[in-house]
């Protein structure tokens, strides 16, 4: 285009060609939309997952977590097809009360596994409180800053909705998908408050309990049940002024463990001190787990525990799905409140009400 300023008589002035105005819409948006909208078949999902495609792995996990019938159907098909590729990881459960340092420890431990051991790590979570809060902070990426930037780490918060049984089943199914995607180490995190430990314990090979010095637990022996489940106890925050207290706590835990019967694994749990924050004693934790895995592989406990876990989960799945199916049944829902009112008014007994509702369910279970 001609500009008078560009005329040779005005040598000091020139107008350069401006940059082209970029389109106001991202030209790649459409491609992405198509990508996300495309309806992949279960076989396509499986093919992508076993190649390590994280986007489709995440989408498949979302389907596992979904309560929509068609998602569930699809998820089950994907899981079934992934099963032959699963099972090759070491599954580790990790628990500790809020503030014990779970996220700090998982961050440090996970980085050690990825950077020094060349592992691929999936961090999953089971958080029973998420049922009430409809959201979970466990397994949240923001709590594991270093790990969340690693391509070899897959971090997924706890599934939010449903009963503990339902949440646990979803996490167990997610383990299968992660293993098929090539994650060779799975960490399942939970808070040290009760039932969720049992659920995590029943899906992992090694159960790690984080303890702190000076909380009184080591003296009062509380959370005995959880201590009994542990394959290893790690006392965190063994740094600065806290080192000797932590060592004392560790020796108290050790003597407490001697009072329990020998675990079925035949492996006497170890007690280690470490600092997640200052990255001290982290590699010893992994050495302990490796030692446990080779010990239990050699005495066949590893395999037999996985087998008994599989049958346990078969029954758990049946129970949970029967329950879900029952409470989603239209006819049950129509009658439930009315029967409950009758029970409250003492017009019928709770057993009669239950029987009537169950009869309604069995008569109509195929109808919705
Ligand atoms: P979580 O609730 O179990 O996940 O615990 P966090 O990892 O969020 O840690 C709780 C608090 O303890 C945070 O303020 C951490 O900085 C601190 N913390 C965690 N690990 C250590 C440690 O090894 N040493 C010290 N001194 N503090 C730690």
């Amino acid at each position: 285009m001609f500009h008078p300023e560009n005329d040779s008589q005005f040598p000091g002035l020139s107008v350069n060609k401006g940059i082209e105005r970029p389109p106001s819409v991202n030209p790649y948006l459409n491609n992405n939309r198509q990508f996300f909208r495309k309806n992949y078949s279960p076989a396509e999902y499986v093919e992508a997952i076993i190649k390590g495609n994280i986007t489709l792995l995440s989408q498949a996990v979302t389907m596992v977590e979904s309560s929509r019938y068609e998602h569930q159907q699809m998820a089950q098909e994907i899981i079934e097809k992934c099963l032959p590729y699963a099972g090759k990881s070491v599954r580790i459960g990790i628990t500790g009360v809020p503030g014990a340092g779970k996220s700090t420890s998982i961050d440090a431990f996970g980085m050690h596994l990825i950077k020094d051991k060349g592992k691929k790590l999936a961090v999953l979570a089971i958080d029973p409180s998420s049922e009430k809060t409809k959201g979970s902070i466990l397994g949240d990426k923001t709590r594991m800053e270093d790990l969340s930037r690693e391509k070899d780490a897959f971090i997924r918060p706890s599934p939010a909705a449903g009963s503990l049984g339902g949440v646990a089943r979803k996490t167990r199914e997610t383990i299968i998908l992660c293993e098929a995607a090539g994650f060779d180490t799975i960490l399942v995190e939970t808070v040290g408050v009760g039932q969720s430990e049992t659920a995590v314990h029943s899906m992992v090979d090694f159960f790690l309990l984080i303890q702190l010095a000076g909380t009184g637990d080591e003296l009062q022996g509380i959370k005995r049940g959880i201590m009994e489940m542990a394959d290893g106890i790690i006392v965190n925050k063994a740094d600065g002024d806290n080192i000797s207290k932590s060592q004392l706590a560790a020796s108290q835990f050790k003597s407490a463990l001697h009072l329990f019967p020998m675990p079925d694994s035949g492996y006497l749990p170890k007690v280690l001190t470490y600092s997640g924050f200052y990255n001290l004693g982290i590699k010893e934790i992994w050495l302990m787990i490796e030692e446990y895995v080779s010990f239990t592989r050699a005495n066949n406990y590893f395999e037999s525990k996985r087998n008994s876990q599989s049958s346990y989960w078969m029954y758990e799945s049946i129970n949970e799905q029967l329950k879900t199916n029952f409470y989603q049944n239209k006819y049950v829902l129509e009658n439930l409140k009315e029967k409950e009112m009758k029970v409250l008014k003492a017009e019928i007994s709770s057993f009669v009400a239950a029987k009537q509702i169950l009869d309604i369910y069995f008569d109509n279970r195929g109808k919705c």
Side-chain angles (χ1 to χ4, degrees):
M1 187 195 281
F2 173 75
H3 285 278
E5 297 93 327
N6 287 349
D7 196 291
S8 56
Q9 58 173 311
F10 306 118
L13 292 171
S14 66
V15 174
N16 293 328
K17 186 172 179 284
I19 58 157
E20 267 175 41
R21 189 187 165 94
S24 58
V25 175
N26 177 353
Y28 302 108
L29 184 68
N30 232 4
N31 294 348
N32 273 336
R33 278 217 185 123
Q34 274 165 6
F35 177 75
F36 284 119
R37 274 198 199 149
K38 183 168 172 356
N39 287 326
Y40 290 99
S41 69
E44 283 173 313
Y45 267 105
V46 176
E47 200 189 321
I49 289 171
I50 57 180
K51 282 188 188 143
N53 182 324
I54 299 298
T55 311
L56 289 209
L57 169 67
S58 304
Q59 285 183 23
V61 173
T62 305
M63 270 190 273
V64 164
E65 291 173 355
S66 165
S67 50
R68 276 174 56 183
Y69 178 75
E70 60 274 24
H71 288 167
Q72 274 304 309
Q73 293 294 100
M74 181 90 157
Q76 291 313 316
E77 214 176 318
I78 296 171
I79 290 163
E80 210 179 299
K81 290 193 162 74
C82 278
L83 270 174
Y85 304 93
K88 294 183 194 86
S89 78
V90 172
R91 305 165 181 167
I92 304 162
I94 189 160
T95 190
V97 292
K102 289 182 294 304
S103 37
T104 315
S105 308
I106 293 172
D107 211 19
F109 182 62
M111 289 305 283
H112 170 61
L113 293 185
I114 290 172
K115 293 290 178 205
D116 305 329
K117 296 284 163 189
K119 302 281 179 197
K120 285 189 78 180
L121 174 74
V123 180
L124 313 175
I126 290 187
D127 182 1
S129 62
S130 64
E131 204 180 323
K132 285 175 216 135
T133 55
K134 295 286 173 232
S136 169
I137 53 157
L138 285 189
D140 191 343
K141 285 184 186 187
T142 54
R143 295 164 63 235
M144 295 155 203
E145 252 182 69
D146 290 338
L147 215 49
S148 60
R149 285 194 288 265
E150 287 299 321
K151 69 168 181 18
D152 285 335
F154 178 74
I155 304 177
R156 189 85 188 185
S158 173
S163 61
L164 173 61
V167 169
R169 176 178 59 83
K170 290 169 189 173
T171 303
R172 196 179 137 85
E173 291 176 348
T174 302
I175 292 178
I176 292 165
L177 298 182
C178 291
E179 288 176 343
F183 289 94
D184 52 24
T185 315
I186 313 279
L187 262 182
V188 188
E189 179 191 9
T190 192
V191 276
V193 289
Q195 277 186 313
S196 56
E197 271 72 28
T198 318
V200 173
H201 183 251
S202 61
M203 64 178 79
V204 297
D205 308 311
F206 189 94
F207 193 65
L208 199 54
L209 169 63
I210 300 183
Q211 289 281 33
L212 293 177
T215 51
D217 299 7
E218 67 273 28
L219 300 174
Q220 294 159 29
I222 34 173
K223 299 196 199 73
R224 196 193 139 99
I226 294 176
M227 259 185 76
E228 232 172 327
M229 273 192 267
D231 299 300
I233 295 180
I234 48 176
V235 183
N236 192 18
K237 308 196 187 180
D239 45 52
D241 296 346
N242 214 25
I243 294 184
S244 55
K245 268 193 260 167
S246 307
Q247 283 164 348
L248 177 66
S251 59
Q252 285 167 334
F253 285 128
K254 257 184 220 157
S255 15
L257 283 173
H258 279 290
L259 302 175
F260 296 142
M262 189 68 175
D264 294 343
S265 63
Y267 180 91
L268 183 70
K270 285 209 159 104
V271 184
L272 305 176
T273 58
Y274 77 107
S275 167
F277 192 80
Y278 293 101
N279 224 325
L280 306 167
I282 297 291
K283 66 176 190 298
E284 285 73 10
I285 301 175
W286 179 245
L287 287 175
M288 165 176 69
I289 296 173
E290 268 185 332
E291 183 184 77
Y292 173 90
V293 171
S294 27
F295 183 87
T296 53
R297 279 221 164 103
N299 69 7
N300 282 331
Y301 179 76
F302 190 92
E303 176 127 16
S304 79
K305 186 176 175 187
R306 282 217 173 166
N307 287 343
S308 55
Q309 287 176 339
S310 297
S311 56
Y312 170 82
W313 282 102
M314 183 186 89
Y315 289 107
E316 275 297 294
S317 249
I318 292 173
N319 292 345
E320 188 249 322
Q321 289 186 40
L322 274 178
K323 206 164 131 183
T324 309
N325 189 272
F326 175 82
Y327 284 108
Q328 280 175 356
N329 185 292
K330 181 170 116 202
Y331 301 91
V332 168
L333 289 177
E334 277 169 13
N335 286 281
L336 209 54
K337 279 284 148 214
E338 182 203 318
K339 299 285 179 203
E340 189 184 347
M341 285 314 292
K342 287 191 172 166
V343 171
L344 290 175
K345 286 187 204 152
E347 288 171 19
I348 49 174
S349 80
S350 23
F351 304 105
V352 171
K355 182 167 186 321
Q356 289 176 353
I357 297 277
L358 284 165
D359 286 345
I360 292 170
Y361 173 69
F362 288 122
D363 289 345
N364 297 289
R365 69 184 186 279
K367 294 194 192 154
C368 58

